[in-house]
């Protein structure tokens, strides 16, 4: 997880003028890592509403997947749902 100071160092006001919150930056980061820039608003919403540790675990799973699916976004969403269900079952 990145600290706020790291994000502010990388912030470019010309390029990132519509990104004003940390969760927006993290949502864009997710969309870039998953090569799914078309659904960036979905990832921004997930970054806002979902606990960061669950998102990190799902992203790590996709990065470490041996199959290298052409649709990393679908694999990410599948793993995210699985992790959320496990979290609910524990409670």
């Amino acid at each position: 997880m990145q600290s706020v100071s790291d994000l502010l160092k990388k912030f470019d006001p010309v390029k990132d003028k519509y990104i004003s919150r940390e969760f927006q930056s993290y949502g864009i980061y997710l969309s870039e890592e998953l090569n799914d820039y078309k659904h960036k608003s979905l990832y921004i919403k997930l970054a806002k509403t979902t606990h960061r540790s669950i998102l990190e675990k799902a992203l790590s799973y996709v990065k470490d997947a041996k199959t290298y699916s052409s649709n990393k976004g679908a694999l990410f969403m599948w793993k995210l749902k699985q992790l959320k269900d496990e979290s609910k079952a524990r409670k």
Side-chain angles (χ1 to χ4, degrees):
M1 193 159 105
Q2 299 175 349
S3 68
V4 176
S5 64
D6 292 338
L7 288 173
L8 290 176
K9 288 177 186 174
K10 296 177 186 176
F11 182 73
D12 180 14
V14 175
K15 180 182 168 199
D16 302 326
K17 63 183 174 180
Y18 296 113
I19 299 174
S20 61
R21 308 269 188 226
E22 190 274 333
F23 68 87
Q24 293 170 329
S25 175
Y26 189 71
I28 298 294
Y29 168 75
L30 284 175
S31 69
E32 289 173 352
E33 288 294 314
L34 298 170
N35 295 327
D36 194 11
Y37 200 71
K38 186 171 103 174
H39 297 110
K40 66 182 175 194
S41 61
L42 170 68
Y43 298 115
I44 291 172
K45 183 176 189 293
L46 286 172
K48 183 177 182 179
T49 59
T50 307
H51 199 274
R52 188 61 54 92
S53 65
I54 294 174
L55 294 173
E56 287 289 333
K57 287 178 186 176
L59 182 61
S60 175
Y61 178 81
V62 171
K63 284 183 175 181
D64 295 340
K66 299 274 186 198
T67 59
Y68 290 113
S69 171
S70 62
N71 194 349
K72 292 180 182 179
L75 185 61
F76 176 80
M77 294 304 287
W78 170 79
K79 189 62 177 177
L80 185 64
K81 182 181 183 318
Q82 190 179 40
L83 289 170
K84 282 183 176 182
D85 290 344
E86 288 176 9
S87 176
K88 286 180 184 178
R90 281 189 222 138
K91 290 181 182 179

